[in-house]
Amino acid sequence: MAPIGSDNDKGATGAAKFATSTVGNTVGGLGRTVGGIVGAGGRGIGQTITGATGSAGKPVGDAIESLGNGVENGAHNVSKGVEDAGKWK
């Protein structure tokens, strides 16, 4: 791979890399933000259900927490892939 700033990063290729990097980083960042919000919300709702209902509601609370964590982790992985694609990796 050629070093950054080489002839391979000039002209149309350089412009394309800049554009895809910008879009990839923006979309990746938004994905992480949304995933983090959904994950935190799921954990909060799950913990609230568990706290309000005690052991009877614990399975439901735990399931909602796990769902929120799964969405957050999935969004993180997708965002990483988008960012890597934007960096032409």
Side-chain angles (χ1 to χ4, degrees), residues 20-86:
T20 57
S21 176
T22 301
V23 170
N25 288 336
T26 301
V27 172
L30 288 172
R32 286 180 206 277
T33 300
V34 170
I37 290 169
V38 171
R43 285 187 296 278
I45 291 169
Q47 291 169 3
T48 300
I49 289 172
T50 299
T53 60
S55 61
K58 185 167 177 23
V60 174
D62 289 351
I64 293 172
E65 282 188 64
S66 292
L67 180 62
N69 288 336
V71 170
E72 184 173 13
N73 291 337
H76 174 79
N77 291 337
V78 169
S79 296
K80 175 87 169 94
V82 169
E83 290 170 353
D84 286 349

